[in-house]
Amino acid sequence: MRNRLSKTIQEIPPSGIRKYFDLASTMENVISLGVGEPDFVTPWSIREASISTMERGYTTYTSNSGLPELRYEIGKYLAESFQVHYDDKKEMIITVGASEAIDIALRAILDPGDEVLIIEPCYVSYEPTVKLAGGVPVSVTTDMSTKFKITADILREKITSKSKAIIFCYPNNPTGATMSKEDWLPIIDLIKEHDLLVLSDEIYGELSYDQHHFSAASLPGMKDRTILISGFSKAFAMTGWRIGYACGPEDIIQAMLKIHQYTMLCAPIMGQWAAVEALRNGQKAKDDMVASYRQRRNYVSKMFNQIGLECLVPEGAFYAFPSITATGLTSDQFAEQLIKEAQVAVVPGHVFGIGGEGHIRCSYATSMENLEKAIERMGKFVEQYK
Amino acid sequence: MKKEKVIEMLTLLEQNGRHSYDKLAMMLDLPEEEVKQTIAELEKDKVILRYPTLIDWDKIQGNDLVTAMIDVKVTPQRDVGFDEIAERIYRFPEVKSVYLMSGAYDLSVTIEGKTIKEVAFFVSQKLSTLDTVVSTATHFILKTYKHDGVVFNPRDDDRRMVVTP
Ligand SMILES: Cc1ncc(COP(=O)(O)O)c(C=O)c1O
């Protein structure tokens, strides 16, 4: 029989996380630090607002680019919070999560063979979505020595005449790294010099613990080459609602809209109304969640260092990314043995790119009680390798 | 300690009075000694009054209690206003709380007793008979759903998948 699957899809390896999901699902008494979503449920006022719109019969399609009310609120919010200004009629599209926004942005800009620089370690979807869009992913590896920030030197090395775009995420999943205005300046120069398009995944922007999030799109000359991608999953604990958005130059957003209208039609209306409520009245709930993540961040980063796993203080998102090199294990060995011997689930760093090897990602979006227990178990586990 | 940190620490303690000094210090990113000292001062200044435990007594058989909330109208007195009558009321050990209220009545009083009869006796014999008390309206609590921000029978388990990207 002919091969039923396309070459493209055959070349994409299965997810490295699957194995840990399967392991953790079959074991009892597992504490999971492997969850990439908030441990809060969506604040009640947001849930309640959505229920009430459903009761009133808002169960239809919306316009392809999303509810005008939601686009208006997002425009206002981005301008007030991050000093980036978008025309909510032409430069914005509501998507099914940031996930869809990443996908259609890449499909809108890539021709076969175009190279996309991916700043790693990073979220697992970038590389496959680049490949699915016909592009060629090029890893740009950051490490602990630069606190997982991009530097001009490492970036310059990977730029070629085929480089079309760069994709990054700050605050970062899995490292928790952030970029300040000063960090961006030399990078921005390079980006402009080589005429790169930018996909800036800012989904963790609100979860910045020391400094207010700085959007690269707000720097002079950047707005016209940047697709800002974000969503409601993380800041408002709304992962299941599937609402994200992309903002950027009109030509690119309109091209994305073309793909979106034929493949997705629109994002779910219930989620869109929930998102409207989140932006109108969800600030206090969000701030409370951020304060709680910050406390846990402080706690876990200190504790990892205490038990002998060197760990930077993550400046954003809800992950700690301690080094495990002191144990002599690979990240896969560490994660597998840890779950089998100590019943703690973490995600090995290598699944987030080659540069993630030597680290494990520990989500602290879980209760303090779980964190204390997990770290105690990990401390004992690490002890045997000293 | 900075004021914001004091507030953050008090909020943490309000949720869980059993946090140890070293854990609080780590969560707040402060030296342990400073946390210890500040808590001691807050205790001394009666900002922190007690570290109580929230108990769902309905789940404990044989220790049934009835609680009533009583709206009390009083005649305020010259110079002392409501303070003196409030004190006369809160000195009774049966009284769990006393608040001065705006609106239709003056004091909101919570009473706890073993039986309805016991509470009724207190209201008719002790409370209503106070000179400045004009009227009372007693409401018995039938069931506690949420108290001090805590839901008594929560149904929000962790519904997340165990490992996600
Ligand atoms: C960096 C990053 N980008 C995007 C997403 C996907 O978000 P959404 O739920 O909006 O699709 C995630 C989710 O884990 C993420 O970590």
Side-chain angles (χ1 to χ4, degrees):
Chain A
M1 203 193 337
R2 279 188 308 164
N3 202 325
R4 295 145 71 112
L5 304 177
S6 77
K7 288 202 186 65
T8 316
I9 203 68
Q10 287 182 63
E11 276 162 22
I12 294 174
S15 154
I17 285 186
R18 186 76 219 175
K19 174 168 136 194
Y20 294 92
F21 177 78
D22 291 344
L23 265 174
S25 309
T26 55
M27 291 173 66
E28 280 189 24
N29 194 21
V30 170
I31 301 175
S32 182
L33 306 186
V35 189
E37 62 180 313
D39 60 326
F40 298 100
V41 290
T42 308
W44 175 245
S45 87
I46 298 174
R47 286 186 275 160
E48 207 275 334
S50 176
I51 293 167
S52 128
T53 59
M54 281 190 260
E55 282 172 343
R56 283 179 286 142
Y58 289 84
T59 57
T60 59
Y61 294 130
T62 69
S63 87
N64 297 131
S65 58
L67 286 174
E69 289 87 348
L70 178 55
R71 280 182 277 127
Y72 170 79
E73 293 297 338
I74 291 172
K76 196 165 128 223
Y77 158 79
L78 289 175
E80 282 166 10
S81 300
F82 309 119
Q83 289 73 53
V84 284
H85 304 271
Y86 291 100
D87 178 341
D88 60 39
K89 291 185 187 62
K90 298 180 188 139
E91 300 176 321
M92 187 184 299
I93 174 175
I94 310 298
T95 55
V96 178
S99 301
E100 192 216 347
I102 295 164
D103 176 33
I104 62 176
L106 290 165
R107 285 200 269 163
I109 60 173
L110 294 183
D111 281 317
D114 283 347
E115 290 181 359
V116 180
L117 301 148
I118 301 179
I119 309 300
E120 294 179 352
C122 69
Y123 183 50
V124 294
S125 87
Y126 302 158
E127 189 181 312
T129 41
V130 167
K131 286 183 182 162
L132 287 169
V136 178
V138 176
S139 303
V140 181
T141 298
T142 63
D143 60 31
M144 229 169 166
S145 69
T146 61
K147 294 181 159 185
F148 296 104
K149 291 172 193 281
I150 323 176
T151 60
D153 289 342
I154 54 161
L155 180 57
R156 192 180 291 111
E157 250 176 56
K158 297 294 176 86
I159 299 178
T160 72
S161 58
K162 292 200 196 119
S163 306
K164 174 90 185 256
I166 175 170
I167 178 164
F168 47 69
C169 170
Y170 291 98
N172 184 271
N173 173 9
T175 65
T178 62
M179 290 277 284
S180 67
K181 184 177 179 183
E182 291 66 38
D183 295 327
W184 278 123
L185 292 173
I187 309 299
I188 297 315
D189 289 344
L190 260 183
I191 285 172
K192 288 189 200 160
E193 188 188 324
H194 294 274
D195 195 23
L196 299 176
L197 289 171
V198 174
L199 265 75
S200 179
D201 181 347
E202 304 186 22
I203 195 157
Y204 291 101
E206 286 287 352
L207 311 186
S208 299
Y209 305 118
D210 304 311
Q211 236 98 53
H212 193 72
H213 172 64
F214 186 85
S215 175
S218 67
L219 286 167
M222 284 301 286
K223 190 189 149 187
D224 192 44
R225 58 174 73 248
T226 303
I227 308 164
L228 189 165
I229 290 167
S230 191
F232 293 82
S233 290
K234 315 293 172 171
F236 295 98
M238 288 175 65
T239 46
W241 299 84
R242 310 308 307 127
I243 302 297
Y245 53 90
C247 301
E250 186 177 344
D251 56 338
I252 296 181
I253 294 295
Q254 293 310 312
M256 289 168 66
L257 188 60
K258 234 195 253 180
I259 308 173
H260 176 78
Q261 73 186 356
Y262 292 128
T263 57
M264 204 60 73
L265 233 168
C266 68
I269 188 170
M270 305 78 184
Q272 293 195 56
W273 280 117
V276 169
E277 171 67 16
L279 289 180
R280 284 187 185 155
N281 300 309
Q283 298 301 308
K284 166 79 169 66
K286 183 206 71 204
D287 291 345
D288 289 349
M289 292 191 273
V290 171
S292 165
Y293 292 134
R294 185 188 291 111
Q295 289 159 0
R296 291 179 264 173
R297 183 273 312 240
N298 292 342
Y299 175 76
V300 295
S301 52
K302 288 195 181 74
M303 286 307 288
F304 280 134
N305 284 303
Q306 272 189 23
I307 64 170
L309 298 178
E310 188 187 358
C311 183
L312 296 171
V313 179
E315 291 168 353
F318 37 61
Y319 310 102
F321 202 57
S323 163
I324 48 134
T325 46
T327 62
L329 301 173
T330 67
S331 65
D332 226 7
Q333 289 167 338
F334 187 99
E336 190 168 341
Q337 287 176 29
L338 183 69
I339 189 166
K340 286 184 177 158
E341 292 169 24
Q343 288 80 50
V344 177
V346 299
V347 180
H350 76 88
V351 308
F352 304 102
I354 315 160
E357 186 46 54
H359 294 264
I360 50 169
R361 189 194 75 174
C362 304
S363 162
Y364 48 85
T366 188
S367 67
M368 271 303 287
E369 294 72 44
N370 276 346
L371 289 173
E372 285 171 72
K373 266 190 248 163
I375 287 170
E376 194 190 323
R377 292 182 190 180
M378 290 171 79
K380 284 193 193 131
F381 174 82
V382 169
E383 202 57 39
Q384 48 180 327
Y385 295 98
K386 279 189 181 158
Chain B
M1 198 183 286
K2 277 207 201 124
K3 198 171 162 203
E4 303 87 73
K5 286 282 182 189
V6 174
I7 294 171
E8 193 178 352
M9 183 175 77
L10 287 171
T11 311
L12 277 170
L13 283 171
E14 195 177 39
Q15 287 157 8
N16 183 355
R18 297 180 72 190
H19 281 314
S20 61
Y21 293 127
D22 67 328
K23 197 163 92 193
L24 280 173
M26 279 194 259
M27 291 168 83
L28 297 163
D29 198 16
L30 292 169
E32 187 174 334
E33 207 35 54
E34 190 177 341
V35 167
K36 216 170 174 170
Q37 211 175 344
T38 310
I39 290 180
E41 278 162 28
L42 291 164
E43 287 170 353
K44 194 169 131 244
D45 295 344
K46 297 269 183 275
V47 175
I48 296 175
L49 297 159
R50 206 164 66 140
Y51 297 91
T53 305
L54 189 57
I55 294 166
D56 184 353
W57 283 113
D58 285 351
K59 295 208 178 100
I60 302 294
Q61 304 246 308
N63 192 37
D64 299 326
L65 291 170
V66 279
T67 307
M69 295 170 87
I70 305 162
D71 311 340
V72 186
K73 274 191 197 160
V74 299
T75 324
Q77 292 158 295
R78 189 183 285 270
D79 298 334
V80 291
F82 293 97
D83 294 354
E84 196 175 288
I85 179 66
E87 183 171 347
R88 268 179 181 276
I89 294 172
Y90 71 59
R91 282 186 178 284
F92 288 107
E94 300 85 330
V95 172
K96 291 290 156 189
S97 67
V98 178
Y99 305 102
L100 179 61
M101 309 296 288
S102 68
Y105 56 95
D106 305 305
L107 297 173
S108 174
V109 177
T110 315
I111 312 275
E112 211 169 72
K114 289 235 177 301
T115 58
I116 291 187
K117 218 166 157 186
E118 197 178 299
V119 173
F121 175 83
F122 178 84
V123 175
S124 59
Q125 300 301 311
K126 304 285 182 197
L127 198 57
S128 308
T129 51
L130 292 172
D131 271 354
T132 47
V133 169
V134 181
S135 73
T136 63
T138 304
H139 316 276
F140 286 99
I141 291 177
L142 302 180
K143 179 171 178 178
T144 306
Y145 293 99
K146 186 176 180 182
H147 185 84
D148 278 353
V150 179
V151 175
F152 271 36
N153 287 296
R155 293 187 293 164
D156 296 332
D157 307 330
D158 193 343
R159 296 193 174 85
R160 299 175 298 168
M161 295 190 296
V162 280
V163 180
T164 54

